[in-house]
Amino acid sequence: EKTDAERSEKSSRHVRALVETALAVRKRYAEKKREENLLDFSDLEHFALKALCDERVKKAVREKYKYVFVDEYQDVNGVQESIISAVSDNNLFMVGDVKQSIYGFRGCRPEIFGGKLEDMKARGEKTVLLNHNFRSAAEVINAVNAIFSYSMTKESSGTDYAGGSMLISGGVFPEEERGRAELHLLINE
């Protein structure tokens, strides 16, 4: 039987190997892009941000657009947030729902959206919560609210679902189509 120290050392070797492999792949990927004279989406983001660091460029972009609209704001990453901040000047309109944030694997940070919402409310700026759901019956909405109220807390996900994100049933359904929710647990023993 292995000791904790032995397991930790083995795990550490695996992590180091994984990191070395990831760094080698990243280096080779960058070399291949240079060889082929190609850019990926991340490169475009970083070059855009670099260009916007020039005050003349930033001023020209800001003057060109009357409004800046961003959809799916819950899925922005730090670079995108910096770009959005650079091109907007008290003319930003954002739409997002932190409950629908799905791009954590590519660096999105839903806490940016949550922080922006809190800051706007603190400054007395206009915010609109789109919590009414017209597609689902009340029974389904109630089940969703029960699950998310329990699982989406400020500590666990950066948002207090019960404190302001709960859905409100707005749909009108015939009695025979009022909906239902079931939870099936599959336990593998």
Side-chain angles (χ1 to χ4, degrees), residues 1-188:
E1 186 172 308
K2 293 185 178 183
T3 66
D4 286 344
E6 290 171 324
R7 281 193 296 276
S8 179
E9 175 57 32
K10 183 178 180 184
S11 176
S12 180
R13 283 194 311 269
H14 288 291
V15 169
R16 279 194 300 274
L18 182 61
V19 168
E20 289 171 10
T21 301
L23 291 173
V25 167
R26 184 171 77 175
K27 181 180 177 189
R28 180 65 184 125
Y29 180 59
E31 290 168 356
K32 194 69 176 161
K33 286 190 298 183
R34 274 193 301 280
E35 289 170 13
E36 300 290 331
N37 200 26
L38 299 171
L39 299 172
D40 64 14
F41 188 76
S42 179
D43 296 328
L44 295 173
E45 289 175 326
H46 284 86
F47 285 132
L49 182 57
K50 186 175 182 180
L52 289 166
C53 288
D54 181 317
E55 288 300 319
R56 291 173 300 158
V57 172
K58 182 165 64 173
K59 183 176 186 277
V61 172
R62 282 184 170 188
E63 289 175 352
K64 184 174 181 171
Y65 299 103
K66 186 172 181 178
Y67 301 105
V68 176
F69 296 90
V70 181
D71 194 12
E72 304 295 346
Y73 199 83
Q74 76 278 356
D75 285 326
V76 299
N77 62 37
V79 173
Q80 293 164 345
E81 172 60 17
S82 295
I83 292 168
I84 293 165
S85 295
V87 301
S88 61
D89 186 22
N90 205 24
N91 62 344
L92 177 61
F93 181 86
M94 304 162 286
V95 177
D97 181 354
V98 75
K99 298 182 299 299
Q100 296 183 34
S101 181
I102 59 171
Y103 290 108
F105 68 91
R106 63 157 202 171
C108 90
R109 295 185 26 230
E111 66 271 12
I112 293 172
F113 177 80
K116 185 84 68 164
L117 181 62
E118 288 178 15
D119 291 347
M120 290 175 68
K121 286 180 178 179
R123 290 191 304 264
E125 295 179 19
K126 181 142 179 120
T127 61
V128 178
L129 297 179
L130 302 174
N131 292 15
H132 284 78
N133 179 303
F134 300 93
R135 295 181 184 169
S136 302
E139 287 77 0
V140 174
I141 297 295
N142 293 340
V144 168
N145 282 338
I147 292 167
F148 283 120
S149 292
Y150 172 78
S151 60
M152 290 189 80
T153 64
K154 194 76 162 161
E155 297 76 30
S156 70
S157 61
T159 188
D160 178 17
Y161 184 86
S165 296
M166 290 183 68
L167 295 174
I168 300 164
S169 178
V172 178
F173 298 90
E175 184 63 30
E176 64 275 5
E177 296 176 15
R178 64 174 215 249
R180 73 171 199 254
E182 294 180 10
L183 176 63
H184 298 263
L185 296 176
L186 301 175
I187 301 173
N188 185 9

